[in-house]
Amino acid sequence: MDDEFAGFASVADGRFTLHGQCAQPLGVHASLADASVVLELELIAPVEHLADSRT
């Protein structure tokens, strides 16, 4: 995702609160790596959903 806003994570008490590209909450995660995986899945989910709906 070059030059596009993908989302953000904030850190408090060692937990990473993740928000998506529309600032929607995507949960609290134990590590930045865990939050990154969830964000990656969120970013590809709409594309996969559209592909599934055409079959």
Side-chain angles (χ1 to χ4, degrees):
M1 293 199 67
D2 293 332
D3 299 326
E4 294 185 33
F5 179 72
F8 66 93
S10 60
V11 183
D13 298 325
R15 298 179 300 169
F16 294 81
T17 302
L18 180 64
H19 295 272
Q21 62 194 73
C22 297
Q24 71 276 29
L26 297 176
V28 178
H29 307 277
S31 71
L32 185 56
D34 290 345
S36 295
V37 168
V38 171
L39 183 58
E40 293 272 336
L41 293 173
E42 178 68 21
L43 293 174
I44 63 171
V47 174
E48 289 179 349
H49 178 70
L50 288 175
D52 290 343
S53 68
R54 286 186 251 150
T55 58

